[in-house]
Amino acid sequence: MGFFDSEVVQQEAKKLFEDYQSLINLGSGYGKFDREGKKMYIEQMESMMDRYRIFMKRFELSEDFMAQMTMEQLKTQLNQFGITPQQMFDQMHITLERMKSELEKSS
């Protein structure tokens, strides 16, 4: 069975994408959130990044050809921006830490 033939993989990919889209849409109003709302948003984004990192690790560890091709495509796309997948996660972590810091300063 191929990597993408797994119902578990399909469900997780769908859920991850839907949750990410919801968070991005919600984040467009971040500036209007109260302190607790901002804190919750940051926590949800951190959780999303953890889930995404785990999902990508499954691709990396899989010996399935399509999973390997998907990882290569992602690396190629990120490389066009001059970054690696790890740098993408590092940058998101830095951004979330900055958001936390700004939140603490405003209290």
Side-chain angles (χ1 to χ4, degrees), residues 5 13 15-17 31 38 41 43-44 46 48-49 56 60 62 64 68 74 82 84 88:
D5 294 332
K15 181 82 171 120
L16 196 56
F17 180 76
K38 288 178 181 180
Y41 181 80
E43 289 170 358
Q44 289 178 354
E46 287 175 326
M48 174 65 59
M49 288 296 103
M56 283 185 54
E60 286 180 37
S62 174
D64 181 75
Q68 291 298 315
L74 176 63
T84 65
M88 174 188 73

Side-chain angles (χ1 to χ4, degrees), residues 38-74:
K38 288 178 181 180
K39 188 175 175 183
M40 285 176 50
Y41 181 80
I42 293 168
E43 289 170 358
Q44 289 178 354
M45 281 302 289
E46 287 175 326
S47 174
M48 174 65 59
M49 288 296 103
D50 288 343
R51 287 173 54 205
Y52 190 51
R53 185 178 287 117
I54 291 166
F55 195 72
M56 283 185 54
K57 187 54 87 173
R58 288 180 182 154
F59 279 96
E60 286 180 37
L61 297 175
S62 174
E63 294 179 9
D64 181 75
F65 177 75
M66 288 306 294
Q68 291 298 315
M69 287 299 298
T70 301
M71 272 310 296
E72 287 306 311
Q73 288 174 338
L74 176 63

